[in-house]
Amino acid sequence: MKFAIVEFPGSNCDHDAYYAAKHVLGQQAEFIWHKDTDLHGADVVVLPGGFSYGDYLRTGAIARFSPIMTRVREFADAGGPVIGICNGFQVLLEAGLLEGALLSNRRLKFLCQHVHVRVEQTDTPFTCGAAVGQVLKLPIAHGEGNYYAAPETVAAIEANRQVLFRYCAADGAVSDAANPNGSLAAIAGVCNAARNVNTDGFWYDGEP
């Protein structure tokens, strides 16, 4: 299996994603520059974390227009697995490959800390190794991780089981106190209706 790690100007977790794919999972991995127009036969596409284009305008707002995103969209539309991590989440939302938006954290502060998230669904390419209800402790590092969508959109993704992760306490309980950034319904990660485009708000620090 071959992973394409897309690099934008300002990406800073691309090497972490490469390390995870190649040295942890033992798969082929290749960096793909944002100006490329070919995914080089990739089986999986990863949009890594960072600050693409310096987060100008909005996080991910400029990266969505990069030439490679045309191929990413075609790949996703054909059923190819795509994951966006941290800034990659923001890019996928801006590109319309996922529904909703990421707003500034509710206290308007950049957060760099470990949080707990509860696995909600496991029938996707990127969550199938987990168990429903499993609690994971993962790092976040973001200033715009506050997930928001219109009420009807949230109702639809909830009904379609597209919420993959929720912020929670160590025991799995969902509460406002355990929600670090104010995300609506404590949503920390979602997928598309076809379930092949997955994303989350975490910064993995090289650990899948």
Side-chain angles (χ1 to χ4, degrees):
M1 183 176 291
K2 184 177 182 180
F3 285 70
I5 315 298
V6 178
E7 294 183 297
F8 300 101
S11 294
N12 65 10
C13 298
D14 42 344
H15 285 267
D16 297 323
Y18 181 93
Y19 180 89
K22 188 172 182 67
H23 300 292
V24 178
L25 299 178
Q27 304 298 317
Q28 289 181 278
E30 180 179 350
F31 292 116
I32 303 293
W33 187 233
H34 72 114
K35 289 186 177 181
D36 287 350
T37 56
D38 187 350
L39 290 172
H40 300 179
D43 302 298
V44 183
V45 172
V46 180
L47 303 187
F51 302 89
S52 59
Y53 293 91
D55 283 350
Y56 289 111
L57 299 182
R58 290 186 310 277
T59 52
I62 299 177
R64 64 164 290 195
F65 294 109
S66 291
I68 195 60
M69 289 304 296
T70 298
R71 294 292 172 261
V72 172
R73 178 181 293 279
E74 292 172 352
F75 181 80
D77 288 347
V82 178
I83 186 168
I85 302 169
C86 195
N87 187 228
F89 187 172
Q90 296 159 337
V91 174
L92 290 175
L93 290 167
E94 288 286 342
L97 288 170
L98 292 168
E99 297 179 275
L102 287 170
L103 309 180
S104 296
N105 296 339
R106 60 179 163 186
R107 294 185 179 88
L108 304 181
K109 291 184 178 181
F110 187 91
L111 298 175
C112 184
Q113 64 191 65
H114 281 79
V115 299
H116 292 94
V117 297
R118 189 178 70 196
V119 179
E120 301 290 273
Q121 307 295 337
T122 58
D123 56 341
T124 79
F126 301 101
T127 61
C128 59
V132 172
Q134 182 179 357
V135 176
L136 307 175
K137 185 178 181 181
L138 298 170
I140 58 171
H142 58 231
E144 293 84 15
N146 182 357
Y147 182 82
Y148 176 82
E152 59 271 21
T153 299
V154 174
I157 65 173
E158 293 278 16
N160 293 335
R161 302 184 305 105
Q162 291 172 238
V163 176
L164 302 182
F165 303 99
R166 292 187 204 274
Y167 294 111
C168 67
D171 63 358
V174 173
S175 68
D176 187 64
N179 185 340
N181 49 39
S183 288
L184 198 62
I187 293 171
V190 298
C191 68
N192 64 341
R195 314 192 80 72
N196 63 304
V197 179
N198 288 204
T199 189
D200 56 61
F202 318 126
W203 184 75
Y204 281 111
D205 196 22
E207 298 183 12

